[in-house]
Amino acid sequence: MPPQPSGSFTRMLPFVRPYRARLFGLFGLTVMLSVLVMLPPLVMRSVINDVLTDGQREKFLGLAICMIMLPLLSSFLGYLQTLGIAFVGQRFVYDIRVSLYKHLLRLSQRYFHRNSTGKIVNRLMGDSGTVQQMVTAQSINIISDLVCAAFAISATFLISWRLAILLCIIVTVFVVNYRMTIGRIRVATKGARTAGDRMSGGVQNRLIGNVAVKSFGAEERENLVFHDHSTATLGLGKQAALASNAFSMNTQLIQSLGQSTIYFLGCALVLVGDIQYGDVVAFSAYAVQLLGPAVRFSELVRQLQNVSIATDRLFEIFGEDPEVDTATDAIDAERLTGEVEFQNVSFYYEEGNPVIKEFSLHVKAGQTIALIGPTGCGKSTILSLILRFYDVTGGALLMDGINIRDLDLHCLRRQFGIVLQEPLLFNVSIYENIRYGRPEASREEIIAAATVAEIHSFIETLPDGYNTIVGDSGVELSVGQKQRITIARAVAADPAILIMDEATSSLDSDSEQAIQRAMDRVLVNRTCFVVAHRLSTIRNADQIILLDGGLIAEKGNHQELMALPHGRYRELYEKHMGAGVIHDGEEE
């Protein structure tokens, strides 16, 4: 009564195939173990019928040696089997996780916008661990159980065909129990896992936004939200547990009643002289060998249903194709000059709702371009298109005269240094954080980049200097200090194009001016795209692009735009030049 084969498991074959030699070896060990397990009832039958009943004492010593050697040999082979299963199981889940993570890194930004980090991590770590249950002692022992079942059925028909027919009827009842409950188990388990995804995603979002939660005094409200999510997960989990437990209890009840019925019916046949008592003992032992696997299958069904659902959830990710990928005949250029040209570019996240419309712009190598405009006007989208996080939906985007679709994706990304509004540091040393964009950078280059970013002096004051660990388990840094390290990371990458998306918004004016002076030196012969509200940054740009609704409303350098009598940029500049900052919501 094994679980029905599923397409979920056949999709795992590429991961199982590298270990087929070891699995065949485990299969051989399992068959040997199964045969050894089936021999004791025959030995016991011979002891009772031949030695004790018929008085053939010369067989006693040989039978005793067999009874002692069989468990010793079984234990040794079982130890080898356990080692093999542990190795294959660990390597199996390792291969799945590595392949899944590699695939995730290839997926486009749209996928990560659609799916929460908590949900993705839950599948990467939780579901892959569940799938490991495909290669465990319990699942491998299906082979043993099948061999034992075949042996037991054959032996029982040889011992007593009447009792064997009764045994087959009991096995049929097991199958009916399985068919009646397996659907409920699968539906309830899948619902519980989906609810778990929602809860993980919600927890991850709330923990990341814990500052906002505390700032608005929303702890109690968030407790209620988490309580609701947990309650939904609990309810579905209860349904899955009830369905599984009902199946297990029915299976155990059928086993107990079946064994008792067979034993006493066998004793009745002994009383009427149809069989000997040794036959009853052997038959009962084989009945246990046949009904025992049925009980184990009841647990295995629940396990394999979890594995099947986890496999389906993993392959939902494997089934996602990258929207942006490298062409087979892509051009691999070591370094570009940084010339960028938008040719009538259009783009939408959702069809029918364009974010960028007929955008045309020629940026010469080494120029600095400032992008300004109200929230949602397309500033960050322009940067995403340059980085090819998304492909344009209309027109063409060229770099050094080459359509970026024709460039090798890794080659393209190597051309950029990026500093975002929210500084991101990894849980490693400051040194490793700075060299992240160019692992081959020398220590002298790392120090030079930190000096440019005005963070070298601070790093030197730390007890471990550049070896200081930052992140969750490391030293606490201010937002400004984190941002300077990310700027140093962008500088160390030695990019042809530098992208700064509100990179200095978290710094005070003095720090911003110091970094701006340093960046002026760094930007020599480098193209730079800047999204900023500080007037000093905007004023020094070679071209200022004022966007509105995905269109270029005004374009030119500071002097050219200030010369427009009723220009929007001039109006914004004159309105905010005292504050030094243009507020995003007022850029309309």
Side-chain angles (χ1 to χ4, degrees):
M1 192 197 61
Q4 291 182 324
S6 167
S8 301
F9 300 107
T10 58
R11 287 187 292 183
M12 279 295 170
L13 288 179
F15 294 101
V16 176
R17 195 170 291 121
Y19 306 103
R20 56 184 180 274
R22 289 185 173 89
L23 289 172
F24 278 127
L26 289 172
F27 175 79
L29 281 175
T30 302
V31 172
M32 293 173 64
L33 280 168
S34 302
V35 173
L36 291 175
V37 167
M38 300 306 293
L39 293 179
L42 293 178
V43 177
M44 291 173 58
R45 181 192 186 201
S46 185
V47 169
I48 295 173
N49 291 345
D50 298 340
V51 178
L52 299 180
T53 304
D54 295 340
Q56 301 178 33
R57 298 184 178 183
E58 68 276 6
K59 293 184 179 181
F60 182 76
L61 181 60
L63 292 173
I65 293 173
C66 285
M67 287 299 288
I68 293 172
M69 293 303 298
L70 285 175
L72 291 175
L73 185 57
S74 297
S75 297
F76 175 70
L77 294 180
Y79 174 73
L80 295 180
Q81 182 197 48
T82 302
L83 288 180
I85 290 171
F87 174 82
V88 174
Q90 292 296 329
R91 291 293 307 184
F92 177 68
V93 73
Y94 168 83
D95 291 345
I96 291 173
R97 282 176 177 162
V98 168
S99 297
L100 186 63
Y101 186 69
K102 182 178 180 180
H103 184 73
L104 280 168
L105 292 179
R106 292 181 59 235
L107 294 181
S108 305
Q109 288 297 106
R110 196 186 305 272
Y111 177 80
F112 295 98
H113 288 163
R114 290 199 316 261
N115 297 278
S116 70
T117 304
K119 173 182 176 180
I120 295 172
V121 171
N122 200 27
R123 296 198 178 192
L124 175 64
M125 301 306 295
D127 287 334
S128 62
T130 301
V131 168
Q132 184 182 359
Q133 296 172 4
M134 285 181 65
V135 189
T136 61
Q138 188 175 6
S139 58
I140 292 294
N141 281 340
I142 293 176
I143 301 168
S144 175
D145 288 338
L146 291 175
V147 173
C148 291
F151 193 104
I153 290 175
S154 301
T156 53
F157 270 97
L158 290 174
I159 295 171
S160 172
W161 65 268
R162 295 181 181 86
L163 293 178
I165 290 175
L166 174 62
L167 185 59
C168 290
I169 293 173
I170 295 171
V171 171
T172 302
V173 177
F174 275 112
V175 175
V176 172
N177 178 44
Y178 168 77
R179 291 285 189 180
M180 289 178 62
T181 55
I182 192 64
R184 288 171 54 206
I185 294 173
R186 181 172 180 82
V187 170
T189 302
K190 189 171 184 178
R193 286 189 169 272
T194 301
D197 276 348
R198 288 196 298 268
M199 185 171 69
S200 296
V203 169
Q204 185 256 344
N205 288 334
R206 266 62 177 191
L207 291 179
I208 289 177
N210 69 89
V211 173
V213 172
K214 293 180 182 298
S215 299
F216 290 101
E219 291 91 344
E220 188 61 32
R221 188 165 70 246
E222 292 302 334
N223 279 334
L224 291 174
V225 171
F226 182 75
H227 178 268
D228 291 342
H229 287 170
S230 298
T231 302
T233 305
L234 177 63
L236 291 165
K238 282 182 178 177
Q239 293 178 25
L242 287 172
S244 297
N245 290 336
F247 180 64
S248 298
M249 291 176 64
N250 290 341
T251 302
Q252 291 171 1
L253 178 61
I254 296 168
Q255 180 197 29
S256 299
L257 291 176
Q259 288 176 350
S260 299
T261 302
I262 287 171
Y263 179 76
F264 284 101
L265 183 57
C267 290
L269 292 176
V270 171
L271 293 176
V272 299
D274 281 357
I275 59 176
Q276 293 179 292
Y277 182 68
D279 295 334
V280 175
V281 172
F283 193 100
S284 298
Y286 283 125
V288 172
Q289 297 286 5
L290 186 61
L291 299 180
V295 177
R296 288 193 291 275
F297 279 143
S298 70
E299 296 302 318
L300 191 61
V301 162
R302 177 167 51 190
Q303 182 186 77
L304 292 185
Q305 283 303 308
N306 288 337
V307 170
S308 176
I309 292 168
T311 302
D312 290 340
R313 285 154 53 89
L314 289 176
F315 273 87
E316 284 180 14
I317 299 178
F318 279 123
E320 292 280 347
D321 292 323
E323 296 179 18
V324 175
D325 208 351
T326 298
T328 54
D329 56 348
I331 301 170
D332 188 357
E334 185 63 28
R335 186 178 177 86
L336 302 175
T337 64
E339 180 184 4
V340 179
E341 184 175 2
F342 293 82
Q343 294 182 343
N344 203 32
V345 166
S346 298
F347 176 76
Y348 55 77
Y349 294 103
E350 297 179 2
E351 192 168 358
N353 187 23
V355 179
I356 303 296
K357 308 169 188 174
E358 301 178 354
F359 183 90
S360 294
L361 177 68
H362 182 233
V363 181
K364 296 178 181 179
Q367 284 190 328
T368 296
I369 308 300
L371 301 173
I372 65 173
T375 301
C377 68
K379 303 186 295 292
S380 295
T381 301
I382 293 292
L383 302 183
S384 295
L385 294 176
I386 297 171
L387 288 159
R388 207 185 167 206
F389 289 158
Y390 302 93
D391 277 329
V392 301
T393 52
L397 178 51
L398 311 180
M399 196 166 292
D400 281 17
I402 306 170
N403 192 315
I404 63 172
R405 292 176 186 260
D406 298 329
L407 285 169
D408 178 86
L409 198 56
H410 294 291
C411 159
L412 174 67
R413 302 271 170 79
R414 283 199 307 266
Q415 311 302 318
F416 295 95
I418 305 170
V419 184
L420 302 176
Q421 183 174 5
E422 293 295 330
L424 171 63
L425 297 182
F426 300 99
N427 295 331
V428 292
S429 68
I430 293 175
Y431 181 83
E432 291 299 323
N433 268 286
I434 295 177
R435 72 193 288 261
Y436 184 80
R438 190 160 66 95
E440 69 276 11
S442 67
R443 189 170 187 85
E444 290 73 20
E445 290 173 317
I446 298 302
I447 293 174
T451 302
V452 166
E454 301 282 334
I455 193 66
H456 172 70
S457 298
F458 168 75
I459 296 173
E460 289 290 288
T461 65
L462 297 173
D464 295 325
Y466 281 84
N467 294 323
T468 300
I469 303 297
V470 295
D472 296 339
S473 57
V475 68
E476 290 289 334
L477 299 176
S478 69
V479 175
Q481 290 162 346
K482 291 179 182 179
Q483 190 64 291
R484 294 187 196 193
I485 293 175
T486 64
I487 292 172
R489 180 165 61 205
V491 173
D494 189 27
I497 301 173
L498 189 64
I499 289 180
M500 301 183 71
D501 189 356
E502 299 288 0
T504 58
S505 62
S506 58
L507 305 178
D508 56 63
S509 297
D510 291 339
S511 297
E512 191 270 339
Q513 290 174 9
I515 289 179
Q516 187 61 54
R517 290 194 302 269
M519 296 307 295
D520 288 341
R521 297 191 299 272
V522 175
L523 291 177
V524 175
N525 298 324
R526 285 188 175 90
T527 305
C528 181
F529 287 85
V530 180
V531 173
H533 293 141
R534 293 195 181 273
L535 296 175
S536 57
T537 304
I538 297 170
R539 185 173 56 242
N540 295 331
D542 296 296
Q543 291 193 69
I544 300 169
I545 311 299
L546 195 154
L547 293 167
D548 188 7
L551 296 169
I552 297 178
E554 292 181 4
K555 178 174 67 174
N557 59 33
H558 175 71
Q559 289 77 18
E560 291 170 345
L561 295 180
M562 289 298 291
L564 298 176
H566 302 289
R568 294 173 61 181
Y569 172 80
R570 176 176 176 173
E571 180 182 344
L572 286 169
Y573 187 85
E574 291 176 344
K575 180 179 180 180
H576 297 288
M577 63 181 181
V581 177
I582 297 176
H583 297 289
D584 202 34
E586 299 183 24
E587 294 175 3
E588 299 180 356

